[in-house]
Amino acid sequence: QVQLVQSGAEVKKPGASVKVSCKASGYTFTDYYIHWVRQAPGQGLEWMGCFNPKKGDIQYRQKFQGRVTMTGDTSDSTAYMELSRLNSDDTAVYFCSRGRSQLLPGDQWGQGTLVTVSS
Amino acid sequence: DVQMTQSPSSLSASVGDRVSITCRAGQSVYNYLNWYQQKPGKAPKLLILAASTLHSGVPSRFSGSGSGTDFTLTISSLQPDDFATYYCQQSYYSPPTFGQGTTVEIK
């Protein structure tokens, strides 16, 4: 069955970077975009950007431009999201999701990775 | 960014009730409107895409309607497993944006 399995929780200090992985299985990795969506504690969902494993093109939400990097390894069917210059507002659960389109919907989601930014 | 506004923000209902949640887009998104269900500590699950198409495996008590700027998610007979938070999301404009969520609680 289709699965997206994310890396474990992280605790980072302000100013540091975090890299979250998302390993896909059960489908052809290059057939779907990988999206990254985050959710701050008690808040709603915020799309961060997406990565196209087939073509390698990437689209970032403007607010994250310059701070986020999305990549993928097709040999390993794994996508990565790295966020730099972390601050307390980046404390959130980060989800990966696959979708046929650049604009979602995501039909399968990873379990989420909690990133806590604290001094 | 296109603003998505859901109403109500929360509601209390009983098992067996018919429940409707509304989503309004700041500008027309045609039928590029999706609905998700999220339970505490879990990832969202896709329920409905393209305003009214039930995602694979989703029970038929869920339905979606609307186009343009006004959309509705309806649960025809609320079941215990349906108590959760529901989000709408537009996929016509970049960036894709979500509503603030509607929490369905047990009365």
Side-chain angles (χ1 to χ4, degrees):
Chain A
Q1 75 281 22
V2 174
Q3 275 194 300
L4 298 173
V5 178
Q6 299 182 222
S7 48
E10 303 261 13
V11 179
K12 296 292 182 181
K13 293 195 182 303
S17 298
V18 68
K19 190 170 187 177
V20 179
S21 68
C22 171
K23 184 168 177 61
S25 61
Y27 73 98
T28 301
F29 184 59
T30 50
D31 282 352
Y32 289 78
Y33 290 84
I34 293 289
H35 294 264
W36 292 91
V37 175
R38 76 178 187 178
Q39 187 170 38
Q43 301 301 308
L45 300 163
E46 180 178 38
W47 181 83
M48 299 178 68
C50 68
F51 168 73
N52 182 344
K54 178 175 285 186
K55 297 182 180 179
D57 53 297
I58 305 160
Q59 186 175 7
Y60 299 137
R61 191 177 194 134
Q62 190 169 9
K63 72 176 282 187
F64 298 108
Q65 288 272 6
R67 263 207 322 139
V68 69
T69 305
M70 295 178 186
T71 57
D73 181 349
T74 56
S75 69
D76 193 29
S77 298
T78 301
Y80 300 90
M81 187 283 298
E82 183 170 21
L83 189 62
S84 63
R85 304 195 302 276
L86 293 167
N87 60 66
S88 57
D89 290 341
D90 295 316
T91 294
V93 176
Y94 290 76
F95 295 101
C96 63
S97 173
R98 75 165 196 177
R100 288 283 194 187
S101 156
Q102 277 187 309
L103 301 178
L104 293 168
D107 66 351
Q108 296 289 337
W109 293 63
Q111 82 277 17
T113 297
L114 174 63
V115 175
T116 303
V117 183
S118 173
S119 55
Chain B
D1 298 358
V2 175
Q3 185 164 359
M4 307 299 292
T5 304
Q6 291 181 228
S7 61
S9 295
S10 64
L11 64 91
S12 296
S14 301
V15 172
D17 285 353
R18 181 181 180 88
V19 167
S20 290
I21 299 168
T22 296
C23 176
R24 176 163 288 176
Q27 53 192 280
S28 175
V29 296
Y30 303 92
N31 73 329
Y32 289 81
L33 192 285
N34 313 302
W35 290 98
Y36 301 84
Q37 176 194 68
Q38 187 181 33
K39 296 182 179 178
K42 300 293 187 181
K45 287 186 178 178
L46 180 63
L47 295 176
I48 289 171
L49 60 155
S52 60
T53 301
L54 213 58
H55 181 52
S56 174
V58 175
S60 58
R61 62 181 179 273
F62 291 93
S63 64
S65 64
S67 66
T69 60
D70 294 313
F71 301 88
T72 302
L73 172 70
T74 299
I75 309 171
S76 60
S77 177
L78 201 63
Q79 298 302 301
D81 192 47
D82 301 338
F83 292 96
T85 299
Y86 294 84
Y87 293 93
C88 63
Q89 176 252 321
Q90 65 82 17
S91 53
Y92 188 76
Y93 294 100
S94 185
T97 45
F98 294 84
Q100 81 279 15
T102 295
T103 300
V104 177
E105 300 169 325
I106 301 172
K107 183 182 282 185

